[in-house]
Structures are given as structure tokens and as C-alpha cells.
Amino acid sequence: MLFKRTQVGVYLSLAPLALNAVCLDVLTRDVIVVGGGASGAHAAVWLRDNGKSVAVIEKRNTLGGHTAVYHDPTTGRPINIGVQAWMEYLNTTSFPTRMGVSTNGSMAFGSVTTRYIDFRTGLPVAYTPPADSDKNAAIKKYLDLCEKYEGLLIPGFFNFPSPDKIPEDLTMNFGQFVDKYNLSAAVPRLYDATVMGVGDFMNVPTLYVMQASGVPMARGLLGLGRAIVPPSGNLHELYERVADFLGSDVLYSSTVSSSTRTDNRVSVIVRSANGTETKVTAKRLLIAIEPTLMNMAPFGMDEDEENVFRTLKYTTVYAGLVKHPSLQKGTAYSNIVLAAAPNNYSVYPSIAQVGKIGQQVGSNDLFSFTAVGTDKDNSESMKELVRKAVASMVAQGTIPDTNGTVNFEVFADHGAIHSRVSTEQLKEGFIQKQLVLQGKRSTWYTGAAFSSGYSTVLWAYNELLLPKMVEGL
Ligand SMILES: Cc1cc2nc3c(=O)[nH]c(=O)nc-3n(C[C@H](O)[C@H](O)[C@H](O)COP(=O)(O)OP(=O)(O)OC[C@H]3O[C@@H](n4cnc5c(N)ncnc54)[C@H](O)[C@@H]3O)c2cc1C
Ligand SMILES: *[C@@H]1O[C@H](CO)[C@@H](O)[C@H](O)[C@H]1NC(C)=O
Ligand SMILES: *[C@@H]1O[C@H](CO)[C@@H](O)[C@H](O)[C@H]1NC(C)=O
Ligand SMILES: *[C@@H]1O[C@H](CO)[C@@H](O)[C@H](O)[C@H]1NC(C)=O
Ligand SMILES: *[C@@H]1O[C@H](CO)[C@@H](O)[C@H](O)[C@H]1NC(C)=O
Ligand SMILES: *[C@@H]1O[C@H](CO)[C@@H](O)[C@H](O)[C@H]1NC(C)=O
Ligand SMILES: *[C@@H]1O[C@H](CO)[C@@H](O)[C@H](O)[C@H]1NC(C)=O
């Protein structure tokens, strides 16, 4: 179809007046996949491998979503911005292996010295993290609890209990859970790994903290599971192979502008950044993006759908690479609140906040940062927070004054992430209301909001979901 469109484009450039008449290409497919990140890209390959035709609609000009890479011009090495590793889980390696990407690499952990600073004041905090023995014992205890509930949560909510039978451990806030099981020595490491992204995680139901940092992560932190990367170190390589395989089945730089969904057919109008429109008709629609109200708007939600998607709340996550001459090599600056001194592991910065700025392992003057915002934050507000964090440290003499400015080499806005609802909503049967949407009006859902925020868990989820989705195709 791309070939056909190219032909039309060439013809049009000679006869611009015909534009409106022939611009709307029409594609017919078995399945439309919206979003080409870890879950959408995997789903599209699975569908093609199972004899189904697909069209993937991807907003950006590349596949991979949160799996983004930057090529350091100084060292020539790839730096993953976003997804850092494929955490071992069931058949972790079967998808990369299918695409011809080797999985025998391991994530490189650098040795940097962490300095604990309150980024609001720029002053060091006299804080000591838990001793390794306490930390590991607590993570092990946490892993045992995650494993106890694993079958209810991952790779999806297939076995999730009815509202009156949900274990109290999963609905209580994580802060209470930590107190109940004396897990506080585990929290700083979990926070550093992913839980920071959940925002006010001590006041979020434990279920959602486990979704953000459950069995695959806890096993990885204890060395019981692998943190896998390809030998090249470049996780995006997988999605380059997927792009080659899918070819013109991916409509890049494109979003859905409107749609019609019935019980046996879906039709969407796709608009690309250059203004061309394509009508795609299919028997199934697979949503593989965060189902925020804004993302779902073009799909004309019915009342049940809107009730579910209106209830989900999100934080926003940002990551990237900065340069600033005052930042010291071999150092990571970690944001912490004064109340955490000398060893209170229950209190963390509130969002919006810059979590950490640390030298990128193996690079010269690049520092990676991660930052977490509310659903009201955006790239500009978060860049300003990064600048303020560095300026406050300079102003207090915590780092030397060099008259430098923060130079953003890469700034990745990962957008809305870590969907969650409240304890009360879980007890009112939210998960059941969410699950009932699967298959409604020919529409199915994958991605972290229906599974868990790990590439490998999403692939395992797809392998259970997609056979149901294609029944009768
Ligand atoms: C900083 C960071 C670090 C992470 N580290 C790891 C890690 O080390 N290991 C791990 O397994 N997971 C990690 N994750 C979690 C990661 O979110 C998941 O592993 C996984 O990549 C999510 O895949 P997805 O398909 O659900 O979503 P995404 O990867 O977000 O894919 C969604 C895709 O849809 C596109 N899109 C969005 N909106 C639209 C629209 N309206 N129309 C069309 N297309 C659209 C996006 O451009 C994107 O390509 C990390 C996440 C972040 C933010
Ligand atoms: C692992 O992958 C194989 C081949 O794709 C599949 O047959 C099997 O069901 C998978 N196992 C699990 C546990 O997902
Ligand atoms: C890893 O895989 C690559 C590519 O397949 C291969 O060249 C390399 O020898 C392998 N390394 C190890 C340690 O197995
Ligand atoms: C809680 O865990 C810490 C180590 O993390 C340990 O020192 C302490 O004794 C434990 N308290 C109880 C009541 O088990
Ligand atoms: C417009 O963008 C689409 C999707 O990226 C592309 O396939 C198409 O060739 C472009 N058309 C023109 C006329 O540039
Ligand atoms: C940790 O700090 C919080 C907030 O200041 C406080 O409520 C809590 O009691 C402290 N915990 C310990 C163990 O000191
Ligand atoms: C920073 O710039 C000011 C004004 O140009 C100058 O007076 C000062 O010496 C500079 N400081 C450093 C550390 O370079």
C-alpha cells in the first residue's frame, strides 16, 4: 500500500488540483494496532506470524515507545533513554530471538558515588542508605510477598478476585504494607529502580507499586533474574528489526482522528503529520497506548469506557541527558528530603521533582536524569526543575560555580504512565469494570494499564490475550 501511495504522491505533485479527490487511501486489515511500543510492536509481529494482516498506527517516526536510544557522538556508544533492560520473566527472550536479536548481553552497572541533596535548597542531607544486608533481606521479604500474589497480577488480571475477595495487602496503601511487613530497608532501592515514577507511592495501593516494581524487578535486584540487553547494548535494535519486518504495515507520524466501532467492524481515519489521511477498516482494534482520556477521545467512548478511563490517574515521567560544567564526574546527585536524615526510609520528595542527576556510565561529560511530574506537568515545567536543581546546588556551594548553563542533549517526555485508582475504587470492582471492556465493540487493550510496566511481562500478556482476540477471525 505504501507503494501505491507513493505513486499517487508523485502523480499529485504533477497535478495538485486533484489532491482532495484522491488523497484518502483505503486499507483493509484484520487488526488495527494503535501504538508501536513494546506491546504494540510485539502484537503486530505475533499477528503477522499467526497469519493475520495488520496496520500499526504510530504517532512518532519510529517504533519502540519508551525504548529510545541516543548515540553518544564522543564514544560512539548507544545510551538507552527509558527502558534499560528486559527483566527476565517466563519466555523473556523468545521475542528478541524471533527478531534475530541476541539476548546474551547484560546491563552495565557503573560505579558512581551518590551524594544526597535536597534539590529544593541545594544543601546536602546527612543521610545513610540501608546496609546491604538489611536491604537485601528486606527485598527478599518483598519478593516473597510479590510471588504470593503474582498469579493475580501478572502478566494480566486474568485471575483477579471479585471485589470482596481481594487480599487486603493489595488494596492497602504501600506505606501501610511497608509497616506491616517491616520492609522499609527495601524501599530506597525499589524507589531508585522504578517506584519513584509512581509519585506519591506511599499513598498508592500496594497493587500498583507491585505493578511498577514486582517479581521481575525484585528478582533482578537480588541477582535471581537477569537484566537482559543485546550485546550491542542498544535495546532499540529490536524495534528496528520489527520495523524492517512490518515494512509498510506501519503508518508512522500518524494518529487516529476519528473512528466508528461496532460489534463486528472498526473503521478509523488516520491523519499523518503531513496532512494525508488514510481510512483503515478492520475486524479488530487493539489499543496499545496509555488509555488516557485524551488518547481515547478519537475512539468515541461509550459510557462504560469513559467511566473506566476517566477514573485512571497517572503521573508523568521524563528522562534524558544533560551537560553542565559544575557537575562532577563519578558522581550521582540524588534528591532527598531533610526529614529522611539520618536514616528514615519512609519519606520521599513529593512531585513534581527531579529524582536523580548522575554521570552516565562510560561517557565523559553526560549526566542522565530522571524526573517525575503530575499529569499537569510538561517538558517545559520539568526542564525548569532540572535547571533549578543545578542552580540551587551552585548557589549553596554544594557544587562549584562555573557560570555554566544546563544543556539538554536529550530530553525524553515519556508522558502519562503508572496508571492507578484508589483503594476504594479497587474495592468497588474497578478491575472488573476495566476487564469487561476487552472485546467490547471489537476493541481490545494491551499495554501497562492492562498488564504491568515491563516489556517482558507485556509480551507474555499478549501471548495470552491475542489468541482470544483473534477468535473467529
Ligand atoms: C524512564 C523509563 C524507564 C523504563 N525502564 C524500563 C526497563 O528498564 N525495563 C522495562 O521492561 N520497562 C521499562 N519501562 C517501562 C516501559 O513503559 C515498558 O516496559 C514498556 O516499554 C511499555 O510498553 P507499551 O507498549 O505499553 O507503551 P509505550 O512504550 O509507551 O508505547 C506506546 C507507543 O504508542 C505511541 N503512541 C502514543 N500515543 C499515541 C497515539 N495517540 N496514537 C498513536 N500512537 C501513539 C507512542 O509513540 C509509543 O510508540 C520504563 C519506562 C520509562 C518511562
Ligand atoms: C513460551 O514460548 C513458546 C514458543 O513461543 C510457547 O509455545 C509457550 O507457550 C511459551 N510459554 C509461556 C509460559 O509463555
Ligand atoms: C553473544 O552473541 C553475539 C552475537 O550473536 C556473539 O557474537 C557473542 O559471541 C555472544 N557472546 C557470548 C558471551 O555468548
Ligand atoms: C525490621 O527490619 C530491620 C532491618 O531492616 C531490623 O533491624 C529490625 O529488627 C526489624 N524489626 C522487626 C520488628 O522485625
Ligand atoms: C505523508 O506521511 C505518510 C506517513 O508518514 C507517508 O507514508 C506519506 O508518504 C507522506 N506523504 C507525502 C505526500 O509526503
Ligand atoms: C520518618 O519521617 C516521617 C515524616 O517526617 C515521620 O512521620 C516518621 O515518623 C519518620 N519515621 C521514623 C522511623 O522516624
Ligand atoms: C562568572 O561570570 C561573572 C560575570 O561575567 C564573573 O564576574 C565571574 O568571575 C565568573 N565566575 C566564574 C567562576 O567564572
Side-chain angles (χ1 to χ4, degrees):
M1 287 322 260
L2 188 67
F3 181 67
K4 179 184 147 221
R5 192 185 354 235
T6 308
Q7 294 294 314
V8 172
V10 169
Y11 178 69
L12 283 181
S13 64
L14 300 171
L17 289 178
L19 193 81
N20 290 338
V22 288
C23 206
L24 194 71
D25 257 3
V26 179
L27 305 179
T28 304
R29 293 287 193 271
D30 289 323
V31 183
I32 296 166
V33 179
V34 180
S39 62
H42 172 275
V45 172
W46 188 96
L47 288 163
R48 284 263 306 257
D49 283 353
N50 283 271
K52 310 301 175 204
S53 59
V54 296
V56 178
I57 297 154
E58 168 53 53
K59 185 166 75 172
R60 300 197 306 145
N61 61 4
T62 181
L63 298 177
H66 296 310
T67 312
V69 70
Y70 168 78
H71 293 277
D72 182 348
T74 319
T75 63
R77 286 167 51 157
I79 301 176
N80 296 303
I81 315 291
V83 178
Q84 300 291 316
W86 297 319
M87 304 309 293
E88 185 174 352
Y89 175 71
L90 302 179
N91 275 351
T92 311
T93 56
S94 62
F95 183 44
T97 303
R98 156 70 186 85
M99 301 315 303
V101 172
S102 168
T103 54
N104 65 7
S106 257
M107 200 179 148
F109 291 96
S111 56
V112 288
T113 305
T114 301
R115 291 187 68 189
Y116 297 94
I117 316 285
D118 184 338
F119 283 170
R120 291 171 308 178
T121 62
L123 289 168
V125 176
Y127 163 88
T128 312
D132 280 350
S133 55
D134 287 346
K135 177 185 73 179
N136 290 333
I139 295 176
K140 178 67 174 72
K141 214 185 313 171
Y142 174 67
L143 172 61
D144 290 344
L145 289 159
C146 289
E147 284 177 340
K148 178 172 171 191
Y149 300 120
E150 181 178 4
L152 308 184
L153 304 183
I154 57 173
F157 297 112
F158 298 105
N159 302 316
F160 199 75
S162 57
D164 55 320
K165 297 204 174 60
I166 308 172
E168 206 68 28
D169 280 353
L170 297 179
T171 55
M172 72 173 65
N173 284 344
F174 190 61
Q176 291 167 268
F177 182 78
V178 167
D179 287 345
K180 177 176 174 185
Y181 293 105
N182 189 26
L183 299 173
S184 66
V187 180
R189 188 67 189 94
L190 297 173
Y191 172 82
D192 214 32
T194 45
V195 171
M196 178 197 295
V198 182
D200 185 19
F201 64 96
M202 284 294 198
N203 293 310
V204 165
T206 299
L207 180 156
Y208 291 108
V209 174
M210 287 187 173
Q211 292 302 79
S213 199
V215 171
M217 179 57 79
R219 290 182 63 80
L221 293 176
L222 292 171
L224 301 172
R226 294 175 63 206
I228 296 169
V229 297
S232 65
N234 177 0
L235 291 166
H236 195 257
E237 193 184 321
L238 172 64
Y239 299 96
E240 287 154 26
R241 301 285 174 92
V242 173
D244 289 344
F245 175 75
L246 293 176
S248 61
D249 282 347
V250 185
L251 305 181
Y252 291 100
S253 306
S254 297
T255 53
V256 171
S257 57
S258 65
S259 70
T260 316
R261 296 182 289 138
T262 70
D263 289 343
N264 46 37
R265 213 144 189 86
V266 174
S267 153
V268 301
I269 302 292
V270 177
R271 189 174 293 149
S272 80
N274 61 24
T276 51
E277 288 197 334
T278 307
K279 179 177 178 173
V280 192
T281 302
K283 298 187 194 103
R284 302 280 189 276
L285 173 67
L286 179 65
I287 302 286
I289 56 180
E290 289 291 359
T292 59
L293 275 185
M294 208 207 281
N295 273 342
M296 292 306 294
F299 298 99
M301 287 169 278
D302 69 16
E303 202 182 323
D304 294 342
E305 292 165 343
E306 188 168 338
N307 277 339
V308 167
F309 300 131
R310 186 180 292 289
T311 307
L312 287 172
K313 297 287 177 274
Y314 297 87
T315 45
T316 53
V317 169
Y318 309 79
L321 297 167
V322 295
K323 289 185 183 177
H324 190 290
S326 295
L327 297 171
Q328 303 296 291
K329 283 182 190 169
T331 307
Y333 305 90
S334 193
N335 189 20
I336 200 151
V337 291
L338 196 54
N343 56 6
N344 183 335
Y345 307 130
S346 299
V347 51
Y348 293 84
S350 53
I351 59 171
Q353 66 127 351
V354 179
K356 196 178 215 173
I357 306 173
Q359 195 197 351
Q360 176 66 36
V361 181
S363 83
N364 200 19
D365 52 355
L366 288 171
F367 284 72
S368 61
F369 70 89
T370 44
V372 188
T374 67
D375 58 359
K376 307 284 185 300
D377 280 292
N378 57 43
S379 298
E380 278 319 307
S381 67
M382 298 306 288
K383 279 185 182 171
E384 195 49 33
L385 267 190
V386 175
R387 290 189 197 101
K388 277 190 178 154
V390 177
S392 70
M393 290 192 283
V394 170
Q396 297 292 344
T398 301
I399 54 178
D401 185 357
T402 55
N403 274 350
T405 53
V406 175
N407 176 4
F408 290 93
E409 286 293 305
V410 186
F411 187 93
D413 177 351
H414 289 283
I417 196 167
H418 296 301
S419 63
R420 82 293 300 270
V421 303
S422 69
T423 298
E424 293 68 35
Q425 288 158 340
L426 284 172
K427 289 183 175 171
E428 284 162 17
F430 179 82
I431 301 282
Q432 284 73 20
K433 290 177 199 157
Q434 188 181 1
L435 293 190
V436 102
L437 300 184
Q438 291 287 18
K440 199 176 181 209
R441 298 166 78 202
S442 310
T443 306
W444 296 74
Y445 302 85
T446 182
F450 281 78
S451 171
S452 167
Y454 290 93
S455 314
T456 49
V457 178
L458 291 168
W459 302 336
Y461 178 66
N462 279 348
E463 304 218 341
L464 294 174
L465 181 80
L466 299 177
K468 293 187 211 282
M469 183 184 83
V470 301
E471 266 172 30
L473 269 192

